[in-house]
Amino acid sequence: MANGKILLVDDEPAFRQLAQSWLSQTGYQVETAADLSAARAQLSRFDADLILLDLSLPPQFDPQHTLQALAEFNSRPVIILTGHAERQLALDAIALGAWDFIAKPVDPDLLAVVIKRALSKHQLDTELQQLKQQQQTDAGLQRLIGVSPPMVAMRTLIQRIAPTDVRVLVTGPSGTGKEVVSRALHELSRRAAQPFVSVHCGAIPAELLESELFGYVKGAFTGADKDRPGLLKLADNGTLFLDEIGEMPLPMQVKLLRVLQEGTYFPVGGREQHKIDVRLISATNANLPQLVQKGLFREDLYYRIKGITLETVALAERRQDIPLLLQFFLEQLQRQHRQLLKLDSTALSWFLQRDWPGNIRELKNTLESVAAVAQGGVISMADISLLHPEAVTTPSVVTEIAADSLLLDPAVQQLEIQLITRAMQQSGGNKTRAALLLGLSRQGLLKKLQRYKLTYHEM
């Protein structure tokens, strides 16, 4: 098996043949090129892990000209081989991204060491980048908590559309996690390293919204004593999240439409046009088609922002997700307060049976408030009754998933085992497909199978 793929770029045929023979005997897969044009052609079909590059190449035979091409190869280490053993040339090469600089005639033993170190570092960098991307993907999806059909469908859609730049409209009742969905879209996108800028269109007064979004120049109005970039500028190359877009005033809708159509805008009071490149995600709990019919929302803007619509559902429609949400919020509280927190079975039953008109937001806030008055790290009905006197102290029935449980952790474990079993049956034992159904990475599923000592064979 080859140790790696190397592209050797040198204009001397004898050196190319000798070096290719020696490197191939060492275990590398080697291709050669006589100049930069040939090197580019080779790289289009031969994905080299490392490049050995002579500086004096035809037709220019100018080391500086060759150095300027280093930026094209920065996705892999480049080792310079040259007869021009000048100190400044070596410094320039390293400054422009070269891995190392070796003077000719080349010492084979030295070259072997340098190649091995460069390939090892390149492999580690590649694996680290892949790990970071996987962790980012896992983190983005793990916040989309739930195993209900709506949540499984939501995760599938997000995974498919996040890498694109399609505009997304997130709709659903208040408190159902529309911003969480929007952040997951950003974190799984190619813009994840760039800003995620959130704007609540209903929280900013209409007369200030334009200057907040577009920024302003010095002297644009009283108090504008210096230029100030707007939120559009801050979101450039990233994601702009317009929350409650249905509350945006009509005059501002016209200006936003122009930005979306042309990709440009003028700061308030400015005459210099600014370009912008953002991925737009909008959210609302309003019925935009009805607002359009009433003349309160522009139809052309509505069709501009609704590239794909994702709909979050009320918590009442996904009750099986409540235990997992409770566990997630309890773990957050434990990290914040550095204290073990659990729900006993009666408290868990109260949370499961209660209606949540405020949805996930209400569930979280209620849990935080009762956790604040609980003692001994266990939340009981006595604690809940202090803040909710109407609470029934002896719930009639404990739901099936918690029937044999005294605390939340065993109930969640029982639920996880049931859901993993169901997913493995539906996927025919295929762990990758089962992990996708459960909203987990394959590694995450394997860890849970090991934890619960569950054994399934691929079919």
Side-chain angles (χ1 to χ4, degrees):
M1 182 177 179
N3 295 328
K5 295 187 288 187
I6 296 175
L7 176 62
L8 170 62
V9 187
D10 195 291
D11 66 319
E12 299 178 15
F15 178 77
R16 288 201 308 271
Q17 183 177 2
L18 181 63
Q20 182 178 26
S21 175
W22 178 78
L23 291 169
S24 298
Q25 290 174 7
T26 310
Y28 297 109
Q29 184 179 347
V30 184
E31 294 287 342
T32 66
D35 54 44
L36 288 176
S37 296
R40 295 183 183 102
Q42 287 279 34
L43 288 174
S44 67
R45 63 173 184 80
F46 178 72
D47 187 17
D49 300 308
L50 178 143
I51 297 176
L52 297 175
L53 181 64
D54 182 33
L55 285 186
S56 184
L57 295 172
Q60 288 86 359
F61 294 98
D62 179 6
Q64 291 297 333
H65 178 268
T66 306
L67 285 179
Q68 298 310 311
L70 282 177
E72 301 178 39
F73 311 132
N74 60 6
S75 62
R76 49 180 68 82
V78 178
I79 298 173
I80 300 296
L81 306 177
T82 181
H84 299 268
E86 301 172 11
R87 181 175 181 275
Q88 188 57 50
L89 199 58
L91 293 174
D92 291 344
I94 300 300
L96 289 170
W99 170 264
D100 209 334
F101 187 98
I102 299 178
K104 291 183 177 179
V106 176
D107 180 341
D109 293 333
L110 173 62
L111 182 60
V113 172
V114 174
I115 288 176
K116 185 175 181 180
R117 289 180 56 200
L119 287 174
S120 297
K121 177 65 163 54
H122 179 58
Q123 182 179 2
L124 288 174
D125 289 344
T126 301
E127 291 174 354
L128 180 60
Q129 185 62 32
Q130 291 173 346
L131 180 60
K132 286 181 177 179
Q133 290 175 350
Q134 183 61 49
Q135 289 176 336
Q136 195 171 55
T137 298
D138 291 347
L141 292 176
Q142 283 171 4
R143 280 197 291 274
L144 300 171
I145 298 165
V147 291
S148 59
M151 287 308 298
V152 172
M154 178 71 75
R155 282 194 295 267
T156 301
L157 270 174
I158 287 175
Q159 285 180 299
R160 292 186 182 183
I161 66 177
T164 73
D165 271 344
V166 65
R167 290 167 186 161
V168 179
L169 175 62
V170 187
T171 64
S174 179
T176 51
K178 293 188 289 294
E179 183 165 352
V180 173
V181 168
S182 301
R183 286 188 179 274
L185 282 166
H186 171 73
E187 291 171 5
L188 299 179
S189 75
R190 63 180 180 85
R191 300 173 183 264
Q194 302 302 321
F196 176 90
V197 177
S198 177
V199 183
H200 194 300
C201 299
I204 303 174
E207 61 273 14
L208 298 179
L209 186 56
E210 181 179 3
S211 60
E212 285 294 313
L213 274 176
F214 296 162
Y216 54 80
V217 300
K218 181 179 179 180
F221 48 81
T222 302
D225 55 352
K226 60 180 179 180
D227 292 355
R228 180 186 174 189
L231 296 173
L232 282 176
K233 181 66 174 178
L234 297 179
D236 196 19
N237 296 316
T239 300
L240 178 66
F241 174 56
L242 297 180
D243 197 9
E244 298 305 340
I245 194 171
E247 299 180 23
M248 179 176 285
L250 279 169
M252 193 66 229
Q253 292 180 29
V254 177
K255 294 176 181 178
L256 176 62
L257 180 63
R258 186 177 301 119
V259 173
L260 299 181
Q261 288 174 334
E262 301 173 6
T264 60
Y265 69 95
F266 289 95
V268 175
R271 295 185 177 182
E272 181 182 351
Q273 196 173 49
H274 291 223
K275 287 188 176 182
I276 189 168
D277 174 22
V278 297
R279 201 270 182 85
L280 179 69
I281 302 175
S282 309
T284 182
N285 60 10
N287 188 319
L288 289 186
Q290 285 185 3
L291 294 182
V292 169
Q293 291 179 357
K294 295 177 181 179
L296 299 176
F297 199 87
R298 292 185 61 94
E299 185 176 23
D300 45 7
L301 178 59
Y302 172 62
Y303 288 113
R304 280 281 178 179
I305 66 175
K306 72 174 295 290
I308 289 180
T309 299
L310 299 179
E311 184 175 3
T312 59
V313 301
L315 195 53
E317 299 179 38
R318 42 178 292 221
R319 286 186 173 274
Q320 61 265 58
D321 295 336
I322 294 178
L324 299 175
L325 288 164
L326 289 171
Q327 184 184 47
F328 177 76
F329 295 141
L330 279 174
E331 289 172 354
Q332 284 187 327
L333 290 171
Q334 287 175 167
R335 288 193 294 269
Q336 291 173 9
H337 303 295
R338 298 180 182 178
Q339 177 188 6
L340 185 65
L341 283 172
K342 293 182 179 293
L343 284 165
D344 71 14
S345 60
T346 56
L348 173 59
S349 180
W350 182 81
F351 273 96
L352 294 175
Q353 295 177 21
R354 182 179 173 87
D355 290 328
W356 299 101
N359 297 298
I360 300 172
R361 184 182 295 121
E362 183 187 3
L363 176 74
K364 180 182 180 183
N365 291 341
T366 302
L367 180 63
E368 289 176 346
S369 63
V370 296
V373 300
Q375 294 181 327
V378 178
I379 300 171
S380 67
M381 278 305 303
D383 303 315
I384 293 174
S385 297
L386 289 174
L387 300 178
H388 301 272
E390 78 285 357
V392 179
T393 55
T394 54
S396 56
V397 181
V398 177
T399 59
E400 180 184 350
I401 62 170
D404 299 324
S405 303
L406 294 177
L407 298 171
L408 177 61
D409 285 349
V412 172
Q413 291 173 8
Q414 183 180 346
L415 176 62
E416 285 190 336
I417 291 172
Q418 292 174 2
L419 293 170
I420 289 171
T421 300
R422 188 185 309 166
M424 292 299 294
Q425 290 172 347
Q426 291 180 4
S427 66
N430 185 299
K431 295 182 177 64
T432 300
R433 287 174 52 201
L436 184 61
L437 289 172
L438 293 165
L440 299 172
S441 65
R442 179 181 169 87
Q443 189 62 31
L445 175 59
L446 293 176
K447 288 180 179 178
K448 289 185 182 293
L449 291 174
Q450 184 178 14
R451 180 192 308 165
Y452 299 133
K453 297 180 173 59
L454 301 174
T455 303
Y456 298 94
H457 299 288
E458 300 274 0
M459 297 181 65

